Amino acid sequence: MTTLLITDIPDAKPVRLTVELPAAVYRDLSAYAEALTALHKKTATPPQLIAPMIEQFILSDRTFLRWRQKQTKNPSSQSC
């Protein structure tokens, strides 16, 4: 493993959410934070990783991106 998908933690104004994660997911986030430090010399906590990981997931979902593009082009088809 030489490249992680998440290599930078954006510095933006956050929106606070409260979520419950399975312990195994939290352990994976902790391990990912350790890998980020070891491979890229960037320190992050598990909570800091959640937003970039969700963003990466959304950007990789081609079906969602196509749907979103259609909604933007045709706003009258959006439902409330």
Side-chain angles (χ1 to χ4, degrees):
M1 178 173 80
T2 58
T3 303
L4 298 173
L5 290 177
I6 307 300
T7 59
D8 194 20
I9 305 299
D11 186 21
K13 182 169 173 59
V15 175
R16 182 168 298 277
L17 296 176
T18 302
V19 297
E20 292 186 23
L21 301 172
V25 172
Y26 185 79
R27 285 191 297 272
D28 288 342
L29 284 170
S30 296
Y32 201 102
E34 289 177 30
L36 187 65
T37 300
L39 297 173
H40 297 286
K41 307 296 186 238
K42 295 185 180 183
T43 306
T45 63
Q48 290 174 315
L49 292 171
I50 295 170
M53 286 183 163
I54 292 171
E55 181 179 29
Q56 183 68 37
F57 172 80
I58 289 171
L59 292 175
S60 69
D61 189 329
R62 294 182 187 275
T63 302
F64 170 72
L65 294 175
R66 282 191 301 270
W67 175 85
R68 184 186 221 177
Q69 190 174 35
K70 285 181 187 177
Q71 296 301 311
T72 305
K73 288 180 180 178
N74 190 6
S76 63
S77 69
Q78 291 180 346
S79 60
C80 295

